[in-house]
Amino acid sequence: MMTRRDTEANSKSAAPVNSVSPLFRRIALIGFGLIGGSIARAARAQGIVGEIVTTARTEKTRSRVNELKVVDSVVEGNAAAVKDADLVILCIPVGACSAVAREIAPHLAPGAIVSDVGSVKGAVVREMAPYLPAGVHFVPAHPVAGTEHSGPDSGFAELFMNRWCILTPPEGADPDAVERLRAFWAALGAKVEIMTPDHHDLVLAITSHLPHLIAYTIVGTADELAQVTESEVIKFSAGGFRDFTRIAASDPTMWRDVFLSNKEAVLEMLGTFNEDLSKLTRAIRRGDGEALFEHFTRTRAIRRGIVETGQDSAAPDFGRPHAHLAKRRD
Ligand code: NAP
């Protein structure tokens, strides 16, 4: 697998590194953070797009994106970026998608595919779809890959390698458009699955959103403890706490929007989680070792299943190839 340093080296020129005929002539990325920056780097490294245009809101970010030399041009305005693009991907927080869809709608080229990368799909589909004109193909997507880092420097070309990307095309979506976007994500290294937005939101509520909520909670709880000092929490963090702190370092804007947008599914999973937590609490209070042992044996098997399917490594963190650069997560 390519390292981030290799990727940056390949990205020094805006020209594609191979001569495969491009899947898209011109792609517009709205937002150049972790996900937008990774798409740009991966698409460039694979040589699957002609031209890449991105937006960045501040002069500071635009100047940094120019220095990175990953894209052909970086502009301030979303409308200017989407002009003549045959693929437009919103790589911005979920809560910003509706306003941006309204802004770009009159400027989209007929036949263009409009997509996003939001971690919630139902709300995004409901809020974006009404603004998109007829003749434009809306195919929402969620690459289930990420790290706790954000901003223009955080992306890397191999982020999507062997990770899932879920497409949630609306009913009646153009099959050719869905197939083109599937081919795009496959070329970035992802395994692609198609599901409904509601099912996506339920699955992600338990596999990603609830774990983040728990991490945010436990790190906050530790911070407020009176009996254990902050230096002890940091000193002994290898006991499990450290992994929670990494997840709890994730971007506050992104995660605020995720919980506001996926409220129903998260509350449903939280209800079930609270019941299960009560069962374990009762087992501890009653000294029911058998119940605890049975539960931990079941969860251990789930972990082994994840390792077997290649979604994580059994190696300790310090042995992982990119541990010093970024920790991948959903
Ligand atoms: P990020 O690194 O913070 O980048 C977000 C980008 O969006 C920045 O370029 C930011 O520009 C731009 N932006 C924010 N608000 C905007 C607005 N109103 N109009 C235009 N641009 C705006 O975040 P990210 O991790 O790439 O996340 C982007 C999307 O990917 C989110 O919807 C998230 O749910 C989804 N996602 C994230 C992960 C993950 O692990 N991080 C994984 C899968 C999917 P400025 O620099 O100017 O603020």
Side-chain angles (χ1 to χ4, degrees):
M1 186 188 280
M2 234 194 303
T3 67
R4 185 177 181 174
R5 204 169 294 145
D6 296 335
T7 307
E8 295 294 355
N10 283 339
S11 303
K12 288 285 180 260
S13 153
V17 294
N18 71 34
S19 56
V20 174
S21 82
L23 287 172
F24 290 95
R25 195 177 30 77
R26 174 183 161 111
I27 68 166
L29 301 169
I30 310 295
F32 193 92
L34 170 70
I35 301 296
S38 294
I39 293 174
R41 287 168 171 95
R44 186 57 80 211
Q46 298 303 326
I48 54 166
V49 293
E51 192 185 347
I52 305 178
V53 183
T54 190
T55 64
R57 294 182 300 178
T58 64
E59 180 48 46
K60 188 168 169 251
T61 310
R62 285 194 294 279
S63 138
R64 182 61 192 140
V65 173
N66 273 323
E67 279 168 13
L68 289 169
K69 297 193 182 351
V70 178
V71 299
D72 297 280
S73 59
V74 50
V75 297
E76 184 178 2
N78 298 326
V82 304
K83 196 169 171 289
D84 295 332
D86 46 357
L87 173 63
V88 175
I89 309 179
L90 274 59
C91 307
I92 58 179
V94 166
C97 287
S98 167
V100 170
R102 181 165 50 181
E103 183 190 352
I104 61 174
H107 309 279
L108 292 165
I113 295 174
V114 176
S115 189
D116 75 310
V117 293
S119 307
V120 177
K121 295 272 65 92
V124 168
V125 171
R126 278 191 299 277
E127 287 166 17
M128 283 183 66
Y131 294 116
L132 300 177
V136 161
H137 306 294
F138 183 34
V139 188
H142 175 206
V144 187
T147 75
E148 69 275 30
H149 302 295
S150 49
D153 286 289
S154 60
F156 52 105
E158 71 271 31
L159 177 65
F160 309 113
M161 290 280 182
N162 202 30
R163 299 285 150 180
W164 287 101
C165 180
I166 301 171
L167 306 187
T168 63
E171 233 175 281
D174 176 30
D176 288 346
V178 176
E179 174 51 31
R180 283 185 79 197
L181 195 66
R182 192 206 58 74
F184 177 79
W185 279 105
L188 302 190
K191 300 180 286 184
V192 182
E193 186 144 319
I194 293 181
M195 57 178 77
T196 66
D198 288 350
H199 190 66
H200 166 278
D201 289 353
L202 206 57
V203 171
L204 270 291
I206 189 64
T207 56
S208 172
H209 306 170
L210 199 55
H212 278 80
L213 192 69
I214 292 166
Y216 282 124
T217 310
I218 201 166
V219 174
T221 305
D223 189 46
E224 284 157 23
L225 281 180
Q227 311 94 308
V228 181
T229 65
E230 198 182 312
S231 65
E232 284 173 316
V233 169
I234 294 166
K235 189 169 159 189
F236 301 114
S237 64
F241 185 71
R242 192 179 53 190
D243 289 341
F244 284 113
T245 60
R246 178 174 57 77
I247 295 174
S250 303
D251 185 63
T253 306
M254 168 186 157
W255 284 96
R256 176 203 62 196
D257 286 5
V258 166
F259 291 114
L260 294 178
S261 310
N262 199 20
K263 189 170 155 182
E264 301 304 327
V266 169
L267 289 178
E268 189 178 329
M269 292 303 167
L270 202 51
T272 308
F273 175 78
N274 279 329
E275 285 168 20
D276 290 344
L277 192 60
S278 299
K279 279 187 215 155
L280 287 180
T281 308
R282 201 165 52 241
I284 293 169
R285 193 183 303 113
R286 290 179 179 169
D288 187 348
E290 207 178 313
L292 294 174
F293 187 81
E294 188 274 326
H295 187 92
F296 300 156
T297 304
R298 196 154 50 88
T299 55
R300 184 182 228 191
I302 292 171
R303 165 68 194 172
R304 287 181 175 162
I306 289 171
V307 172
E308 272 164 29
T309 54
Q311 291 303 297
D312 203 353
S313 155
D317 272 3
F318 51 79
R320 293 182 191 178
H322 303 292
H324 64 297
L325 293 171
K327 293 285 183 63
R328 291 164 61 135
R329 62 161 177 68
D330 300 347

